[in-house]
Amino acid sequence: AQSVSQHNHHVILSEAASLELGCNYSYGGTVNLFWYVQYPGQHLQLLLKYFSGDPLVKGIKGFEAEFIKSKFSFNLRKPSVQWSDTAEYFCAVGSGNTGKLIFGQGTTLQVKP
Amino acid sequence: NAGVTQTPKFQVLKTGQSMTLQCAQDMNHEYMSWYRQDPGMGLRLIHYSVGAGITDQGEVPNGYNVSRSTTEDFPLRLLSAAPSQTSVYFCASSYKGALSTEAFFGQGTRLTVV
């Protein structure tokens, strides 16, 4: 069965620190990978996505992620976080041609001003 | 530009009561899904639909029913609410593509079963 694992459950950083959130997945076929963000009290919004091509993808608000096929990983990075990045971050794998997503457990990021 | 609209935003139910969570999208998306979000467990798929008249079970379907009579609407029915169904419920939609496409989420329904 497909699964997604996020390594860090709760991360606390100071403003301007660099961020890397780990995500590993298990799936035997072609994968579509996503990172979603959920700001406090809001719904999920897409940060970035990988379907094919350049394994380094750039998203909104300065976020980027690198797809490493050999490691089944899709880690999220940001060089310098801001207080407004405080949110919960979810990695997800697209499951075939059905619209289904398999989510990781989520990582809560707290950025201290 | 409404996107995905869920109603109600908040609901308190007594154990054994039934109710329907509404979800509507105005983007003409073929795919729609229901997820529940619980602390430390991410989002788990309850039911999904690939088009009008077609639904299937996800990871945690027990206690829930769905139907898809139109492209726009995908209601989720709780048959007999239980405290274990206390959660935040999200509806999502996406268009039909060759591969998985971006899902658009509603604002969520926070359900408490007492």
Side-chain angles (χ1 to χ4, degrees):
Chain A
Q2 297 171 315
S3 65
V4 178
S5 177
Q6 294 182 233
H7 311 151
N8 319 96
H9 297 299
H10 197 170
V11 174
I12 302 174
L13 296 173
S14 298
E15 276 194 313
S18 64
L19 170 72
E20 180 160 3
L21 301 181
C23 173
N24 285 92
Y25 65 92
S26 67
Y27 182 60
T30 302
V31 291
N32 305 129
L33 298 159
F34 305 84
W35 275 98
Y36 282 86
V37 61
Q38 185 179 31
Y39 298 104
Q42 296 190 25
H43 64 293
L44 277 77
Q45 304 170 42
L46 183 69
L47 267 182
L48 48 79
K49 60 188 176 185
Y50 172 79
F51 286 176
S52 63
D54 189 343
L56 184 63
V57 293
K58 295 190 183 299
I60 61 172
K61 304 186 180 185
F63 286 91
E64 64 179 32
E66 185 176 12
F67 169 56
I68 303 180
K69 188 175 181 180
S70 61
K71 296 185 178 180
F72 298 92
S73 70
F74 190 55
N75 293 353
L76 181 71
R77 300 195 291 249
K78 186 171 184 178
S80 175
V81 295
Q82 301 174 317
W83 176 80
S84 58
D85 292 325
T86 294
E88 190 158 16
Y89 292 81
F90 294 95
C91 181
V93 172
S95 175
N97 192 17
T98 61
K100 296 191 299 182
L101 293 172
I102 308 299
F103 284 88
Q105 305 93 322
T107 297
T108 300
L109 171 65
Q110 182 182 354
V111 180
K112 294 184 174 181
Chain B
N1 190 10
V4 180
T5 303
Q6 288 183 238
T7 56
K9 288 186 169 54
F10 302 94
Q11 183 70 48
V12 178
L13 287 179
K14 293 183 178 179
T15 297
Q17 286 185 315
S18 63
M19 79 159 294
T20 299
L21 279 61
Q22 301 291 345
C23 175
Q25 53 94 6
D26 62 359
M27 297 173 282
N28 204 31
H29 285 168
E30 292 88 350
Y31 299 154
M32 296 186 75
S33 305
W34 275 102
Y35 298 85
R36 59 177 289 173
Q37 182 181 21
D38 301 293
M41 303 186 76
L43 279 79
R44 292 179 293 168
L45 182 66
I46 305 171
H47 285 283
Y48 67 100
S49 169
V50 297
I54 306 170
T55 64
D56 205 348
Q57 297 181 351
E59 180 184 358
V60 288
N62 292 341
Y64 308 95
N65 272 358
V66 291
S67 60
R68 185 98 179 270
S69 56
T70 67
T71 298
E72 295 77 19
D73 300 300
F74 191 43
L76 178 72
R77 297 183 188 85
L78 279 70
L79 309 173
S80 178
S84 60
Q85 294 178 304
T86 293
S87 187
V88 181
Y89 292 85
F90 287 99
C91 179
S93 72
S94 57
Y95 72 86
K96 182 178 180 179
L99 299 168
S100 296
T101 59
E102 174 188 353
F104 294 82
F105 286 83
Q107 296 281 352
T109 296
R110 185 173 294 274
L111 176 67
T112 302
V113 183
V114 298

